[in-house]
Amino acid sequence: MSVGRPEKPLAPDAGPATAFALELRRLRAAAGSPSYRELARRALFSASVLSDAAAGHRLPTLQVALAFAEACGGDRAVWERRWRAAAGRAGDGPGPAVKPAQQAPEPRLRAAAVRAVLPVPAQLPMEPRPLAGRARELGEARALTAAGAGPVPPLVIHGPTGVGKSALALRLAHELAADLPDGQLYVSLGAAADGRKDAPGIAGGMLRSLGIAPELIPDDPAQRIGLYRSVLYERRLLVVFDGTLQERQVRDLLVAAPHSRIVVTARSRLLGLDGVRRLALPVLGRDGSMDLLAGIVGTERLAAAPRAGLLLAEACGDLPLALTLAGRRLAARPEAFLAEAVAELLAADGLSGRLRVGDESLTERYEDAYRRLTPPARLLLHRFAATGAAPCVDGVIRTPSTALAHAPESPREPVEPVEDVLEAVVDSGLLERTDVPGQYGLPPLVRQFALARAAATADGPEPAWHRPHGDRPAPGAARPFPAMTQETPA
């Protein structure tokens, strides 16, 4: 093992930062005085960052201190206590580096010293809306990510478009972050549908965010992902992949680690991923919808017109995003009576198209999901919305298990089972599965969107839909589909 060059001596009574640096130097000496270049390969921080941590100019960040200590064979828990004591927090978490009265004079910090105190990545965005009516689901998410006897698998939170997956994931993430001091990483994958962000590129970005020097990040994609996995296994990190569209975006980036936690959100269940835990997120209950509205328009205003709130919740299908956008429109008119404002909002045709506030739009969310459907899936959605494509009673779609998506135009054309098409629409977030096998619920706002899309889009000749049991017309006039309706077959 090569020996590093001698370092400048430090005064033992110069302050907590210097005293901590002296302890790091003694640990390094006890390990045989390896060079900082050798330590860099073990700690996954650059040699300059590690040498600055022992320079005594300023207390290093917790993640740098722990990486330095572990690279020299130190006990992680012991050195975390020492760092917290030096930081003046004594176990309460990272805070100001050193109390000013105890800190040695630092009239001018060198650039290298500034690099040694790069902030721990804290990339979680703020929670987008009040989290209402999710006590049960949040409790389940906590249980699924709780530490156990071994590594904790990643958690996939999935559900329909606009159901609040990101809101729940961020609330959970902010709670988990308290016990994961090495950093929080957040990756939005919604814009990566066409592969513009691949797994090696995402891994490289996260490694750089963690302070790993570019020269230590391998150019080979497989080695880069391997280094990323090693970091997650050794450190206590939180990683959130939000808006995942396909399994291939995250498959190579998922790790079951003893200390780190990974949370994934997606409309789809991402059934192609093995070894993960899944949490299905349904629409809100009616009480949760009212709590959400009260948090936006005001408790007193809603209490003065509770029926208006109930009508709005029913029209929105208890969908959190729809309720949030409608609530913001109502909150922007505090002078109007709530009952009148809700009546005006519901009187217009196409409520889904009116749910737009600033650059947030429910229709754009639906459009994004709709564009990813295959032509048979779009036709199926159109016919369900029109209540003429499948047996349907009071918003519940019933389809025979032996039905086929369409009859082939030639003997060589493959026949697509209707169940596969249905599952594709469900995974798009536009159709909901009920608790009754073989039944599906179409949310009222999705129905409005699908009817408008069918009227405005020419999809060509509609293929024949073969059903061995025959098509039964929907009894009676169709009404808006209540979300997650559960009824017994007629």
Side-chain angles (χ1 to χ4, degrees):
M1 179 179 295
S2 60
V3 179
R5 62 184 180 184
E7 296 177 291
K8 293 181 180 180
L10 296 175
D13 58 349
T18 303
F20 188 80
L22 282 171
E23 293 180 6
L24 290 178
R25 290 188 181 190
R26 293 189 187 104
L27 178 64
R28 176 171 170 248
S33 297
S35 69
Y36 282 110
R37 187 176 296 275
E38 293 176 8
L39 289 182
R41 286 193 289 269
R42 305 176 198 171
L44 301 178
F45 280 96
S46 67
S48 62
V49 167
L50 296 175
S51 64
D52 290 335
H57 298 287
R58 186 173 176 179
L59 195 69
T61 62
L62 177 58
Q63 64 171 351
V64 172
L66 295 181
F68 189 113
E70 288 184 312
C72 294
D75 182 83
R76 184 182 183 94
V78 171
W79 280 91
E80 181 172 348
R81 288 194 295 269
R82 291 179 178 176
W83 182 91
R84 293 187 185 281
R89 300 283 291 182
D92 290 336
V98 184
K99 294 179 180 179
Q102 298 174 318
Q103 190 173 8
E106 298 183 41
R108 298 179 67 182
L109 283 176
R110 296 184 294 114
V114 175
R115 289 198 303 273
V117 291
L118 288 173
V120 174
Q123 300 177 355
L124 294 178
M126 62 182 289
E127 298 178 49
R129 65 181 70 93
L131 190 65
R134 293 302 190 193
R136 179 181 61 82
E137 290 85 355
L138 186 58
E140 292 181 12
R142 292 190 188 113
L144 292 172
T145 54
V152 179
L155 173 63
V156 175
I157 301 175
H158 62 91
T161 301
V163 80
K165 301 177 290 294
S166 297
L168 180 67
L170 288 176
R171 170 61 64 85
L172 174 66
H174 282 287
E175 292 185 5
L176 294 175
D179 296 323
L180 301 171
D182 291 339
Q184 305 99 47
L185 301 169
Y186 175 86
V187 181
S188 177
L189 293 171
D194 301 324
R196 291 188 292 273
K197 296 179 182 176
D198 57 5
I202 295 172
M206 289 191 288
L207 291 172
R208 287 189 293 272
S209 297
L210 291 169
I212 297 176
E215 63 268 19
L216 298 177
I217 300 177
D219 293 330
D220 180 76
Q223 294 180 8
R224 192 182 314 154
I225 291 176
L227 176 59
Y228 155 82
R229 293 173 181 165
S230 300
V231 172
L232 256 68
Y233 197 85
E234 291 295 332
R235 298 187 188 179
R236 288 182 288 179
L237 294 164
L238 172 67
V239 183
V240 177
F241 297 107
D242 195 19
T244 307
L245 298 171
Q246 298 172 338
E247 291 91 341
R248 62 180 175 82
Q249 292 178 296
V250 297
R251 179 178 287 110
D252 293 336
L253 301 173
L254 301 184
V255 178
H259 306 300
S260 296
R261 297 291 182 271
I262 298 178
V263 179
V264 181
T265 71
R267 296 168 184 162
S268 167
R269 292 165 292 173
L270 301 180
L271 296 179
L273 298 179
D274 293 327
V276 301
R277 293 170 175 171
R278 293 180 172 86
L279 175 62
L281 195 62
V283 296
L284 292 171
R286 190 54 51 86
D287 289 341
S289 296
M290 297 297 284
D291 290 341
L292 178 58
L293 283 174
I296 300 174
V297 303
T299 303
E300 294 183 359
R301 191 180 182 194
L302 184 61
R307 178 173 173 75
L310 291 171
L311 290 174
L312 181 60
E314 182 177 2
C316 291
D318 297 298
L319 188 70
L321 177 59
L323 288 166
T324 298
L325 296 177
R328 289 177 184 169
R329 289 179 65 102
L330 298 172
R333 301 176 56 195
E335 75 286 351
F337 288 108
L338 185 62
E340 295 179 358
V342 169
E344 292 176 7
L345 191 61
L346 299 182
D349 293 335
L351 174 61
S352 64
R354 294 173 57 84
L355 295 179
R356 173 188 293 274
V357 178
D359 62 353
E360 189 80 64
S361 169
L362 181 65
T363 298
E364 289 181 4
R365 298 280 189 96
Y366 286 159
E367 281 285 356
D368 179 72
Y370 182 84
R371 285 195 302 268
R372 304 179 195 284
L373 293 176
T374 62
R378 292 182 184 182
L379 287 172
L380 187 63
L381 182 65
H382 293 172
R383 297 191 65 177
F384 282 165
T387 71
C392 176
V393 177
D394 289 340
V396 176
I397 299 163
R398 300 182 177 86
T399 177
S401 60
T402 57
L404 301 177
H406 66 277
E409 295 181 2
S410 66
R412 295 184 180 181
E413 183 182 346
V415 176
E416 189 174 4
V418 73
E419 286 83 358
D420 292 349
V421 182
L422 281 167
E423 290 303 306
V425 183
V426 170
D427 281 341
S428 73
L430 297 176
L431 190 65
E432 296 172 349
R433 185 182 292 100
T434 72
D435 291 338
V436 180
Q439 296 186 7
Y440 298 82
L442 194 65
L445 297 176
V446 175
R447 181 174 185 267
Q448 292 179 16
F449 167 80
L451 289 174
R453 204 66 176 80
T457 304
D459 283 308
E462 184 174 320
W465 294 73
H466 173 67
R467 288 182 171 78
H469 300 285
D471 270 342
R472 291 179 297 158
R479 64 176 178 83
F481 287 86
M484 303 301 293
T485 303
Q486 301 178 24
E487 300 183 31
T488 56

